[in-house]
Amino acid sequence: MNLNNIHNIYFVGIGGIGMSALARYFKANNKNVAGYDKTQTDITNSLVDLGVAVHFDDAIDNIALQFKNPDNTIVVYTPAIPKDNAELNFFKSNGFKVLKRSQILGLITENTFCLAVAGTHGKTTTTSILGHLMHECNVALTAFLGGISENYNSNLILNGSEVSVVEADEFDRSFLTLSPDLACITSMDADHLDIYGDAAELKKTFEDFTKKIKPNGKLFVKNGLPLKGITYGIEDDSDYSVQNIEIKNGTYVFDVKTPKTVLENLQFNLPGRHNLSNALIALAMAVEYGCPHHQLANALASYKGVKRRFTYHIKTDNLVFVDDYAHHPEEINAVHQAVREMYPDKKVLAIFQPHLFSRTQDFADDFAKSLSQFDDLMLLDIYPARELPIEGVTSSWLLDKISNKNKQLVSKTDLLAKIHESKAQVILTIGAGDIGEQVKYIKKEFSVES
């Protein structure tokens, strides 16, 4: 399909983080863009500000007439949309070209030099670092991000269309639609077992993804993964390796050994070894693409992060408040490592909202272990997202498995009062549900005192 011949693009579920990046991309390329989502958010408001028509009632009458011609309109939908969605069913039954978000991303990457970031953790941060590095090296690129970049206040970095930087998402195998020139795999921990069934099937799908790389393309893999490729790692013998790590005023200072040289005294401002690993693979891919080392060093030092990825909301001597998207036991471990490395002597309170009944059930024991590491722990109810409840799988059930004296179930209405009682010097909110909505209330309540 030639996207140049398509004038109208309609999004069902336009408010999603990946969907809205595509909507912005097509709007920037002078297409007519509109869509539906069930809830109004900051993301949908920003699309409306760009001139994209968005409505929130699922009704065929709300689709503008110009988007009802199957000859010049394509429809993009997210897998999160329910099967009984009236608008999506209208398009499907009337001969429209209806594509998943991943398929349209596949079409875009086919016609560009594509750098793809895959892995069960670290995709969004790594993609946003890579997009930033290449943007600062004046590469004509479009980067599609699964989060809001602090540097650009957007989930899209737009500087041309010769190169695309994308997250390769293993959820529902959607990354198999991509055809990258350079690809990396950051991790292959079990996740999305509601789709894959078991970890072996997930591993096989990552292997299938490596076969999607274009001829003469390159694969980068985290050292230790059971795949062949250019390796990267921290303080090891990888092809690309971080060495001589120091922390100066909350910033990492380190060297990177590449296959050809050593880059000395690089700086990176995000806490946590997992983020250092993300920075390394982004740097390695940019080096292999051909970006100049000096510009890369400056770009890495100026990288500010992604919203809800170890985002500081209060940072004073008396109180630190950090919000993070971690929703898998390994991600919680990474946040714990980061906070202990930066604040070794402070009392840490973690407030966690489990995401999905199935994930909570699949990893209950691992969640219990990772959450037990904090000084104080508060659990909110499970955020269901796309799922119906599973009998017996509740936050109370998970809480019973956690070996921490200072643990409790908390409702959102009681949250501020309970945080006051904790007297923690570091407050963490973690989870992928709507816990992010509580951040502004916590920030407002505790900024005054800090």
Side-chain angles (χ1 to χ4, degrees), residues 170-347:
E170 76 284 356
F171 172 70
D172 78 0
R173 298 181 173 82
S174 63
F175 60 0
L176 299 182
T177 60
L178 303 176
S179 37
D181 295 87
L182 301 179
C184 76
I185 297 176
T186 63
S187 48
M188 285 166 41
D189 293 311
D191 199 1
H192 303 303
L193 297 184
D194 52 328
I195 287 168
Y196 286 98
D198 62 25
E201 183 61 25
L202 181 74
K203 176 177 175 286
K204 180 186 171 299
T205 307
F206 274 105
E207 287 168 355
D208 292 342
F209 169 68
T210 67
K211 294 169 188 156
K212 296 288 180 181
I213 297 172
K214 289 174 190 164
N216 304 319
K218 292 176 181 173
L219 174 68
F220 300 76
V221 294
K222 182 142 193 211
N223 199 358
L225 291 181
L227 293 168
K228 283 199 165 41
I230 299 167
T231 56
Y232 73 97
I234 292 181
E235 295 177 325
D236 61 12
D237 59 354
S238 301
D239 299 316
Y240 282 83
S241 155
V242 169
Q243 305 285 351
N244 305 323
I245 302 166
E246 294 180 73
I247 296 175
K248 295 180 181 172
N249 301 325
T251 294
Y252 283 119
V253 181
F254 55 95
D255 301 334
V256 168
K257 177 184 76 68
T258 79
K260 294 178 180 170
T261 186
V262 176
L263 311 180
E264 294 183 334
N265 284 324
L266 296 173
Q267 291 186 20
F268 187 64
N269 293 308
L270 257 60
R273 293 288 175 111
H274 61 300
N275 282 321
L276 201 50
S277 179
N278 295 335
L280 173 63
I281 181 52
L283 189 76
M285 291 174 83
V287 166
E288 293 283 342
Y289 177 79
C291 292
H293 293 173
H294 175 67
Q295 278 176 273
L296 283 174
N298 290 338
L300 198 62
S302 68
Y303 176 75
K304 293 179 186 169
V306 176
K307 285 187 175 151
R308 298 220 64 227
R309 304 303 196 281
F310 213 95
T311 301
Y312 283 101
H313 288 278
I314 300 173
K315 192 178 185 183
T316 67
D317 292 343
N318 305 325
L319 183 69
V320 172
F321 170 33
V322 171
D323 178 47
D324 195 277
Y325 186 73
H327 55 283
H328 182 283
E330 288 301 323
E331 293 166 354
I332 294 169
N333 286 336
V335 170
H336 178 263
Q337 183 275 323
V339 83
R340 292 294 188 204
E341 187 174 51
M342 292 297 161
Y343 305 103
D345 304 319
K346 295 198 169 180
K347 180 181 179 184

Side-chain angles (χ1 to χ4, degrees), residues 3 8 61 77 107 137 141 152 163 165 173 181 206 232 248 262 284 319 338 371 393 396 420 437:
L3 290 174
N8 303 320
D61 290 346
Y77 75 102
L107 284 174
C137 292
L141 92 159
Y152 305 91
V163 174
V165 174
R173 298 181 173 82
D181 295 87
F206 274 105
Y232 73 97
K248 295 180 181 172
V262 176
L319 183 69
L371 291 167
V393 178
S396 176
H420 276 293
E437 292 296 307

Side-chain angles (χ1 to χ4, degrees), residues 353-358 381-389 433-434:
Q353 180 189 45
H355 184 262
L356 298 179
F357 297 102
S358 60
D381 283 337
I382 296 172
Y383 183 79
R386 54 186 180 266
E387 292 184 335
L388 294 170
D434 60 4

Side-chain angles (χ1 to χ4, degrees), residues 363-384:
F363 302 109
D365 293 339
D366 293 330
F367 274 123
K369 202 180 285 183
S370 62
L371 291 167
S372 296
Q373 300 174 96
F374 299 99
D375 300 314
D376 279 12
L377 177 71
M378 297 178 189
L379 277 192
L380 298 176
D381 283 337
I382 296 172
Y383 183 79

Side-chain angles (χ1 to χ4, degrees), residues 92-111:
K92 282 182 171 175
S93 55
N94 283 285
F96 283 79
K97 189 80 179 168
V98 178
L99 301 173
K100 278 187 191 173
R101 180 182 73 89
S102 55
Q103 291 171 302
I104 198 92
L105 207 50
L107 284 174
I108 293 167
T109 60
E110 250 171 51
N111 304 307

